Amino acid sequence: MGISEPRDLDALREGLTRWVRSWRPDAGDVAVAPLAQPATGLSSETFFVELDWTLGPGRGSPSEHASWVLRLPPGGEGLFPSYDLGMQGRLQRTLAGAGVPAVTPLAVEEDDSWVGAPFLLMPRVPGRVVRADKPYLRTGWLAEAAPAGQARLHGEIIEALARIHSLDWESLGCDTIVARRADGDVEADGEDRPGWLAGEVEHWARYLAWAGEGKAPPIFEEGVAWCRANLPRPEPPASLLWGDVQLGNVLVGDDMGVSALLDFEMASIGPAEVDLAWFVVLHEMAVVRCGGDLPGFPGRAATVATYQARLGRAVHDLRWYEAFAALRSGAILVRAARLLARLGVDDSWLTHENPTIALLAGLISD
């Protein structure tokens, strides 16, 4: 669950009930069951919503039942300075229309008067989620699955990632949906000028200063300096980026296939290597934490080879992108540590034993 102030769930239900009556003016009685909150995620808040409404006034009117997912920005301070649920909803709708297994939203509500914040409302898709806060490579349903099922899941994630990166994001209008913090053209008119990656490094340098509040381990500043000094040249072509590619952001069906991709709050436009490295680095940290990988997962080299075959081009300077991924992941964990400290929780494991520290140090060493 998110690191945020507890919400008034009764007020949330009441506001959502009013919204449903406005959304479905033909509805009679509307009954929203007590909200359930899955214990996943450290950023936006997610609630499961079960509700019934009648189609007309009076007893005996036909009724409908719905299972929804309600997504809200954190109730207090969050992992990020701002949240744009509207962007996420519009992007999910675009991706679903392009054949990517993203959930098409029922509504993107920008008016915060209904429940006290903007919200994203989606149909609930059947599937299981990997609990990233658990040692999921050692225990749980994924670890207990047959190696063939594990291999299918891994392969479908790589396939979906390559499909996103192969989209014609310009014709889909994705540049009007997601933020692009710098011009991605690094070579024009014979000049070699800073592109998207340079702007992205500066963005995360500012984030680190904000997140760490002067208490971030020095390795992260060293990581920023290394990324600045070793920017890939030339910069690969731009793709639409999922942003937070990890096992915990995938809904998995009973057949071990991908039911849906989740969480696009870090979506952007830039080199596809950014997403691939994020997936590889986060998984590598899980392997270290759990003491080994799953028998059905192919390992780093095979993952990269499969991805390249699906994308249709070789990836470039992957070490740089992995260092950048470790830097960003570590900065986010430092922010989580600061928020936990405000709640009176010991944050030393995040600040001083942050799992990205050793990984980043190894990647940026000569």
Side-chain angles (χ1 to χ4, degrees), residues 12-315:
L12 188 57
R13 285 175 64 200
E14 189 277 331
L16 188 59
T17 300
R18 288 189 293 106
W19 182 89
V20 172
R21 290 196 177 108
S22 174
W23 182 63
R24 287 294 300 264
D26 59 332
D29 295 330
V30 177
V32 178
L35 302 175
Q37 189 170 24
T40 59
L42 289 173
S43 189
S44 297
E45 291 189 84
T46 301
F47 296 90
F48 292 149
V49 181
E50 299 290 330
L51 70 160
D52 297 272
W53 63 76
T54 58
L55 302 177
R59 298 179 62 181
S61 298
S63 63
E64 288 186 2
H65 177 80
S67 296
W68 293 343
V69 175
L70 176 68
R71 193 166 171 85
L72 299 155
E77 293 183 286
L79 292 182
F80 302 104
S82 62
Y83 290 78
D84 190 349
L85 293 175
M87 177 278 289
Q88 296 177 52
R90 290 187 291 274
L91 181 60
Q92 287 177 214
R93 187 172 287 122
T94 298
L95 288 172
V100 174
V103 182
T104 302
L106 295 165
V108 179
E109 183 55 69
E110 306 275 8
D111 185 351
D112 62 6
S113 65
W114 296 103
V115 300
F119 62 85
L120 182 61
L121 197 63
M122 300 168 281
R124 188 171 177 181
V125 176
R128 294 174 291 184
V129 176
V130 173
R131 287 284 302 275
D133 59 328
K134 303 289 184 182
Y136 59 85
L137 299 179
R138 190 169 64 238
T139 62
W141 65 265
L142 180 59
E144 295 165 2
Q150 297 168 352
R152 176 179 180 178
L153 173 60
H154 189 280
E156 290 198 8
I157 292 173
I158 297 302
E159 180 70 36
L161 185 60
R163 189 182 311 171
I164 291 173
H165 294 160
S166 299
L167 292 173
D168 186 345
W169 55 270
E170 291 179 296
S171 67
L172 290 172
C174 293
D175 52 336
T176 66
I177 299 174
V178 301
R180 196 175 185 198
R181 284 183 276 267
D183 182 0
D185 181 11
V186 299
E187 289 189 347
D189 301 324
E191 297 180 8
D192 183 20
R193 61 174 184 260
W196 183 88
L197 289 173
E200 197 71 356
V201 170
E202 296 313 310
H203 167 79
W204 283 94
R206 292 190 295 272
Y207 175 89
L208 177 64
W210 171 80
E213 300 174 3
K215 299 180 181 179
I219 186 63
F220 296 113
E221 288 295 343
E222 296 171 21
V224 169
W226 186 90
C227 287
R228 284 173 175 154
N230 294 277
L231 285 167
R233 293 286 190 267
E235 192 169 294
S239 295
L240 176 66
L241 302 180
W242 176 353
D244 195 5
V245 192
Q246 57 174 303
L247 282 168
N249 284 340
V250 177
L251 272 179
V252 184
D254 292 338
D255 62 356
M256 294 298 289
V258 171
S259 296
L261 308 181
L262 308 174
D263 291 356
F264 293 90
E265 65 190 9
M266 292 171 63
S268 186
I269 293 171
E273 284 84 347
V274 172
D275 267 353
L276 176 63
W278 182 264
F279 178 74
V280 169
V281 162
L282 264 59
H283 187 69
E284 177 61 26
M285 287 193 294
V287 170
V288 171
R289 176 188 179 196
C290 297
D293 207 346
L294 296 175
F297 279 16
R300 179 187 183 280
T303 295
V304 173
T306 299
Y307 172 79
Q308 290 180 133
R310 298 292 187 271
L311 184 65
R313 70 166 176 86
V315 298

